């Protein structure tokens, strides 16, 4: 039972345009969400996070939106750059102090020059 | 200066063998984790230690045993390796519960 789902395995966008990566979750107890970026042969790197008390968090070119009623979050990258090409994972945790993260299966983003 | 380092990066071995993967972090974090990324690319948590105490133990076969000699190290020992253990294993650390986790570059384990 996959509690965090990224239904698009891949996404291709042109350099300079917006990239939108989506993530859906089923567990209403999740209250903290994160996005990680992963290059081949490297570990995931933390990108941005959002608490369930907010609906938007912005950090430079990256913005995460949270829609709790729809149990949906999205990552917007504007403008997209070729160096953004990577696998993006969303992850969620359910209010514990253990830091137990449930990951989605990832979306491969390709940004074309 | 690597923050979370895992050794070895690649591990190829035969079924039935026992192997260990080491993880060290120099971030001063209290919490460390082991994840398994299977062939379908799902990252699933296996174990977590907070200051040498086990706090997460998911449904993992007891052939897998984590060991934390100090809060900067979390090693993973696997007994009687099976074909299904082939995966990439990631170590991570964090300052605390809901703090972002920092990952190592993974250990690719291949069972022949």
């Amino acid at each position: 039972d996959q509690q965090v789902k990224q239904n698009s395995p891949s996404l291709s966008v042109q350099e300079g345009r917006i990239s939108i990566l989506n993530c859906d979750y089923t567990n209403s107890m999740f209250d903290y969400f994160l996005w990680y970026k992963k290059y081949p042969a490297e570990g995931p790197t933390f990108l941005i996070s959002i608490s369930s008390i907010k609906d938007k968090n912005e950090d430079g070119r990256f913005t995460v939106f949270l829609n709790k009623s729809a149990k949906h979050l999205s990552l917007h990258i504007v403008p997209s750059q070729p160096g953004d090409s990577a696998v993006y994972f969303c992850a969620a945790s359910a209010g514990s102090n253990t830091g137990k993260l449930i990951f989605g299966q990832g979306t491969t983003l390709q940004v074309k020059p | 200066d690597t923050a979370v380092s895992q050794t070895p990066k690649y591990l190829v071995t035969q079924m039935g063998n026992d192997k260990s993967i080491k993880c060290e972090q120099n971030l001063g974090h209290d919490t460390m984790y082991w994840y398994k990324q299977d062939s379908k690319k799902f990252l699933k948590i296996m174990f977590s230690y907070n200051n040498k105490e086990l706090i997460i133990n998911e449904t993992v076969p007891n052939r897998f045993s984590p060991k934390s000699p100090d809060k900067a190290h979390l090693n993973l020992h696997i007994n009687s390796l099976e074909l299904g253990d082939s995966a990439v294993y990631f170590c991570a650390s964090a300052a605390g519960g809901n703090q972002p986790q920092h990952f190592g570059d993974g250990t690719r384990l291949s069972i022949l």
Side-chain angles (χ1 to χ4, degrees):
Chain A
D1 178 29
Q2 192 60 18
Q3 298 182 67
V4 178
K5 294 180 184 178
Q6 294 174 254
N7 292 318
S8 298
S10 62
L11 174 68
S12 181
V13 300
Q14 209 63 38
E15 182 178 5
R17 298 289 188 102
I18 184 172
S19 296
I20 300 176
L21 297 108
N22 293 304
C23 180
D24 297 297
Y25 61 95
T26 56
N27 188 342
S28 57
M29 299 300 290
F30 287 147
D31 62 357
Y32 183 58
F33 304 87
L34 308 91
W35 283 95
Y36 282 83
K37 172 173 152 180
K38 185 183 179 306
Y39 292 119
E42 293 184 10
T45 302
F46 170 70
L47 207 50
I48 193 169
S49 63
I50 188 166
S51 162
S52 60
I53 61 173
K54 293 186 172 183
D55 53 19
K56 177 182 172 182
N57 189 24
E58 194 171 348
D59 183 2
R61 296 185 297 114
F62 302 91
T63 303
V64 57
F65 294 92
L66 176 62
N67 182 335
K68 288 188 291 293
S69 60
K71 295 193 178 67
H72 177 84
L73 66 154
S74 60
L75 174 69
H76 292 212
I77 308 173
V78 182
S80 301
Q81 299 173 353
D84 296 330
S85 298
V87 179
Y88 289 79
F89 291 94
C90 73
S93 71
S96 73
N97 287 329
T98 62
K100 178 179 172 180
L101 291 180
I102 307 298
F103 280 84
Q105 65 269 51
T107 296
T108 301
L109 172 66
Q110 183 185 27
V111 180
K112 296 180 179 177
Chain B
D1 198 20
T2 307
V4 181
S5 59
Q6 299 179 224
T7 53
K9 194 168 178 67
Y10 299 96
L11 187 50
V12 181
T13 189
Q14 296 204 326
M15 263 195 332
N17 283 350
D18 302 338
K19 290 292 177 187
S20 292
I21 307 171
K22 295 186 176 181
C23 179
E24 176 181 4
Q25 54 96 2
N26 63 6
L27 297 167
H29 289 163
D30 285 339
T31 310
M32 295 185 73
Y33 306 84
W34 276 110
Y35 287 85
K36 178 181 180 181
Q37 186 180 34
D38 61 22
S39 56
K40 294 184 180 176
K41 306 301 181 188
F42 286 108
L43 262 167
K44 292 186 179 174
I45 191 161
M46 301 172 69
F47 301 103
S48 174
Y49 271 73
N50 181 268
N51 211 2
K52 302 195 297 175
E53 181 184 343
L54 181 67
I55 56 170
I56 296 176
N57 186 351
E58 290 296 291
T59 311
V60 176
N62 58 14
R63 299 182 294 103
F64 290 78
S65 52
K67 294 246 183 342
S68 182
D70 55 61
K71 72 174 194 176
H73 295 84
L74 181 62
N75 304 322
L76 183 64
H77 189 76
I78 316 170
N79 288 330
S80 304
L81 280 157
E82 300 177 357
L83 287 174
D85 298 332
S86 295
V88 182
Y89 292 84
F90 288 98
C91 176
S93 73
N98 267 354
Q99 297 298 311
Q101 294 175 23
H102 297 252
F103 284 78
D105 286 341
T107 296
R108 182 174 292 277
L109 174 62
S110 299
I111 310 301
L112 304 178

